[in-house]
Amino acid sequence: MTYLRLALAAAFCLAVSSAHAAGLKFLHIPGGQGEDPAIHAAMWSPCAEVPADVRIEGLTVPAVLDCPIAGEKLPLVIISHGYGGWYLGHHDTAEALADAGFVVVAVNHPHANYADMSRADGLGALIGRPVDIKRTVDFMLMASPDAAKIDPQRVGFYGFSQGGYTGLVIAGANPDFSKLPPRCADPKATGCPQTNQVRRSQQRPLPQSLTHDPRIRAMVVADPLSVVLQTTDSVKNVTIPLQLWGSELGGGGGASPEDVATLARVLPEKPDFRIVSNAVHLSFLTPCPKNRQFSEVCIDAPGFDRAAFHREFNAEVIAFFRQSLRE
């Protein structure tokens, strides 16, 4: 699967958005003085205006650009995409949350998103992802022009695949990177001899500690990269309310149904664990238009209705965050 096809498929998915009144704003989170690059993000929020068709990057979406946030002391949810994904890959969930009264910010992880995969395959990407989330929370609660609209005591997180891994680390997990499978030294290669493979655990010295953030009070993770989180010791500090979703059929690297089930068993606090019957790994991505079902990211198992599943999924996610982040 090429990154271009991923990007095109994700773009086409925008055409089937079902937002009712979601405001949409694009954010630029400045880079730090060190090696931290700028982060680009999309923010959805409650909006009192009626949405209209808006052209964004050649696409038509129902939204209200730069709509003033309707409400005060609103809960915040941060969204982290999977490998090769982007900040619009879960836009239907973001829109549903915004319509339900949440401020939602989805990030493009720098140098590890569909448009720029230049650093996506090194261990540094897995180490840097939780840092990206902490920087985003910092920005939204302190530097953002909308900071006063957000309740800093009600911050949640949603992550898919590597984004799910990201959330678990933020919540206190300490993964065992030695369990990662080898990956090609060239991130553009689709197959390579064993001599050209590198272990991500050997590409960069491990930090003394990974980035955790106690400000995030509840999270939803779907088919997380969990091959590195298979022991009670690795997740012993993950104690916040957690809704864990797994696909029955799998298909994502490091997120096999068996690994996700093991993660559910070893967590110290029993998660709200849901297995989605007949779903594949990519079924958690936003629904695709019917005329684009041939795309690799849009292919579900026979008989699986992604749009119907997402209506149920979004409702369950909203209910979970409302309960877990209640005032």
Side-chain angles (χ1 to χ4, degrees):
M1 183 187 307
T2 66
Y3 303 138
L4 177 60
R5 277 183 284 176
L6 272 171
L8 289 174
F12 290 132
C13 289
L14 288 170
V16 295
S17 171
S18 58
H20 300 293
L24 177 61
K25 180 185 296 185
F26 292 92
L27 308 177
H28 175 86
I29 301 171
Q33 294 182 349
E35 297 181 357
D36 293 333
I39 297 172
H40 297 283
M43 183 183 82
W44 291 262
S45 59
C47 175
E49 299 180 28
V50 177
D53 287 344
V54 177
R55 296 280 292 178
I56 301 174
E57 298 183 20
L59 305 170
T60 301
V61 300
V64 181
L65 287 178
D66 300 320
C67 181
I69 296 178
E72 304 290 338
K73 294 185 67 65
L74 301 176
L76 170 69
V77 174
I78 309 296
I79 294 181
S80 174
H81 62 74
Y83 180 83
W86 67 329
Y87 55 36
L88 294 179
H90 304 277
H91 71 88
D92 68 300
T93 302
E95 292 159 358
L97 283 164
D99 287 339
F102 293 79
V103 175
V104 184
V105 176
V107 304
N108 268 0
H109 287 284
H111 309 300
N113 61 76
Y114 85 98
D116 177 6
M117 296 289 286
S118 58
R119 302 180 190 174
D121 290 312
L123 183 59
L126 296 181
I127 295 171
R129 274 175 160 266
V131 179
D132 299 339
I133 301 305
K134 182 180 184 301
R135 290 176 56 208
T136 302
V137 175
D138 289 343
F139 176 82
M140 291 306 301
L141 297 185
M142 294 181 283
S144 167
D146 297 310
K149 293 283 188 176
I150 297 170
D151 185 347
Q153 301 303 314
R154 293 195 291 161
V155 181
F157 175 92
Y158 168 58
F160 163 67
S161 196
Q162 282 196 14
Y165 150 89
T166 303
L168 291 163
V169 172
I170 278 286
N174 291 293
D176 179 0
F177 291 122
S178 70
K179 302 300 184 182
L180 285 170
R183 186 177 294 277
C184 291
D186 178 1
K188 296 181 181 180
T190 57
C192 58
Q194 186 173 5
T195 55
N196 289 335
Q197 290 180 341
V198 292
R199 279 199 168 273
R200 287 190 235 178
S201 58
Q202 297 173 351
Q203 293 180 32
R204 177 174 171 179
L206 292 179
Q208 290 185 347
S209 63
L210 292 169
T211 298
H212 311 306
D213 194 336
R215 294 173 298 181
I216 292 181
R217 306 297 179 88
M219 70 175 50
V220 177
V221 294
D223 258 6
L225 167 68
S226 46
V227 68
V228 294
L229 298 168
Q230 297 290 284
T231 65
T232 55
D233 189 60
S234 65
V235 295
K236 64 183 180 182
N237 296 322
V238 181
T239 58
I240 64 174
L242 175 64
Q243 189 175 75
L244 173 63
W245 293 77
S247 59
E248 181 184 31
L249 305 180
S256 72
E258 295 77 17
D259 288 339
V260 175
T262 298
L263 170 65
R265 289 196 300 270
V266 299
L267 283 163
E269 302 291 336
K270 185 177 180 180
D272 178 7
F273 184 31
R274 316 288 186 92
I275 299 175
V276 184
S277 178
N278 204 32
V280 297
H281 183 63
L282 296 179
S283 296
F284 289 106
L285 292 177
T286 197
C288 300
K290 291 182 179 179
N291 64 340
R292 298 294 174 183
Q293 297 302 316
F294 64 85
S295 171
E296 291 171 271
V297 299
C298 298
I299 297 175
D300 293 297
F304 186 84
D305 186 334
R306 189 183 297 195
F309 161 62
H310 273 249
R311 288 191 291 271
E312 176 185 350
F313 173 77
N314 292 341
E316 293 293 337
V317 169
I318 290 168
F320 172 80
F321 279 131
R322 279 180 169 166
Q323 173 67 22
S324 302
L325 298 177
R326 63 185 183 275
E327 292 185 75

